[in-house]
Amino acid sequence: MRDVRRKPGPCAQWDSQETDFIREILDLVGDKWSVLIIGTLADGPVRYSELADAIPGISQRMLTLTLKHLQRSGLVNRTAYPEVPPRVEYSLTGLGTSLLSTVLDLAAWSAGHHREIRGHQRAFDAEVTPTKR
Amino acid sequence: MRDVRRKPGPCAQWDSQETDFIREILDLVGDKWSVLIIGTLADGPVRYSELADAIPGISQRMLTLTLKHLQRSGLVNRTAYPEVPPRVEYSLTGLGTSLLSTVLDLAAWSAGHHREIRGHQRAFDAEVTPTKR
DNA sequence: CAGAATCCTCAGAGATACTG
DNA sequence: CAGTATCTCTGAGGATTCTG
């Protein structure tokens, strides 16, 4: 970060462009479902109903909405086959695939450190709320 | 992802533990300010007021709240010096530093692809709202 | 099957004022 | 200086119903 953000001053400051980048990516994948969808599409095209089954707890509304966001930003391709009953498949674009690996790094970090994190959280909570004493 | 998530079935499914990991990290850094704070702390300890200055637009409430979250999860250290006027410095823990690099990867990806993304978004919007015709 | 349309709720976040 | 304490409000997200 230091090389990206360095500016004269007592402490490095963010300029609006840099914060915009952060915001942009958080708007993209910082929501509740995007990462799960991207992960599900990692192995190839998946149908709408398969996505709904693969991602526990997602509502139709959120699935549709999130897919549209991802499609709008060019991370996901939507392919509708003119059949009856209708069939629609979603897949990662090149852009989406390039994001996948860095997102997987994040997921891996989380999996590797979640015990440590939970430990800190418990210790912190115990200290703040000293469980009656 | 394929090696992590593979399960018998028509399409890979997430189990609840994996989705929990994703949620955990998104709760941690998926909000509006965490990443900016972590980035600001990259170069070493920073005082509360310096953070407020370095991160444009953040309110005192959000700064305090986000710092507390990060501290609770063990990503950030809070050091209060018993002086008058009071001085408090925040710094990344080892855990926070280890997260920093993967977060910077995300930021770098965003910086490297934002033009492409914006292009897709504009094209998509133009197609959906055919700018009068 | 793959969604669109509605209605509703509650947490994330901003603004402002106060304090040890 | 480094926070708390309230109040308020927007919008992400859930549940349900309807349709090509």
Side-chain angles (χ1 to χ4, degrees):
Chain A
M1 188 61 58
R2 74 188 57 203
D3 38 335
V4 188
R5 218 181 59 265
R6 262 306 171 202
K7 272 240 204 93
C11 167
Q13 290 237 149
W14 298 92
D15 66 30
S16 64
Q17 206 192 26
E18 289 161 348
T19 61
D20 281 354
F21 290 160
I22 309 282
R23 291 281 147 68
E24 192 169 5
I25 202 193
L26 287 179
D27 287 348
L28 219 56
V29 299
D31 62 281
K32 196 170 177 182
W33 303 109
S34 292
V35 171
L36 295 178
I37 291 180
I38 291 174
T40 308
L41 297 180
D43 301 332
V46 179
R47 299 183 59 167
Y48 181 88
S49 54
E50 290 175 331
L51 279 169
D53 292 341
I55 303 173
I58 195 169
S59 63
Q60 283 197 336
R61 176 182 135 81
M62 275 305 112
L63 179 54
T64 303
L65 216 67
T66 309
L67 281 171
K68 201 166 289 178
H69 288 155
L70 296 176
Q71 186 195 354
R72 180 178 110 98
S73 299
L75 299 180
V76 158
N77 271 129
R78 195 192 104 114
T79 314
Y81 298 89
E83 309 169 351
V84 43
R87 180 165 60 102
V88 177
E89 283 187 348
Y90 291 90
S91 58
L92 289 182
T93 63
L95 192 59
T97 305
S98 78
L99 177 58
L100 178 67
S101 58
T102 83
V103 158
L104 290 187
D105 284 349
L106 256 195
W109 185 92
S110 187
H113 294 91
H114 84 282
R115 286 193 158 279
E116 198 175 346
I117 292 174
R118 304 246 172 142
H120 281 290
Q121 292 177 344
R122 251 195 295 279
F124 185 92
D125 295 345
E127 194 177 343
V128 172
T129 310
T131 58
K132 188 180 295 177
R133 231 268 169 151
Chain B
M1 189 61 57
R2 74 189 57 202
D3 38 334
V4 189
R5 218 180 59 264
R6 261 307 170 201
K7 272 241 205 91
C11 166
Q13 289 234 150
W14 297 93
D15 66 29
S16 63
Q17 207 192 26
E18 290 161 347
T19 61
D20 282 353
F21 291 160
I22 309 281
R23 291 281 147 70
E24 193 169 4
I25 202 194
L26 287 179
D27 287 347
L28 220 55
V29 300
D31 61 281
K32 196 170 178 182
W33 304 108
S34 292
V35 171
L36 295 178
I37 290 180
I38 292 174
T40 307
L41 297 180
D43 299 333
V46 179
R47 300 182 60 167
Y48 181 88
S49 54
E50 291 176 330
L51 279 169
D53 292 341
I55 303 172
I58 196 170
S59 65
Q60 283 198 336
R61 176 182 134 82
M62 275 305 112
L63 179 54
T64 302
L65 216 69
T66 309
L67 281 171
K68 201 165 291 178
H69 288 156
L70 296 176
Q71 186 194 354
R72 181 177 109 97
S73 299
L75 299 181
V76 158
N77 271 128
R78 194 193 105 115
T79 314
Y81 297 89
E83 308 169 351
V84 44
R87 180 164 60 103
V88 177
E89 284 187 347
Y90 291 90
S91 59
L92 288 182
T93 63
L95 193 59
T97 306
S98 78
L99 177 58
L100 178 66
S101 59
T102 81
V103 158
L104 289 187
D105 284 349
L106 257 195
W109 185 91
S110 188
H113 296 276
H114 84 282
R115 286 194 159 279
E116 197 175 347
I117 292 174
R118 304 246 171 140
H120 281 289
Q121 292 177 343
R122 250 194 296 279
F124 186 91
D125 295 344
E127 194 176 345
V128 171
T129 311
T131 58
K132 187 179 292 175
R133 232 264 168 156

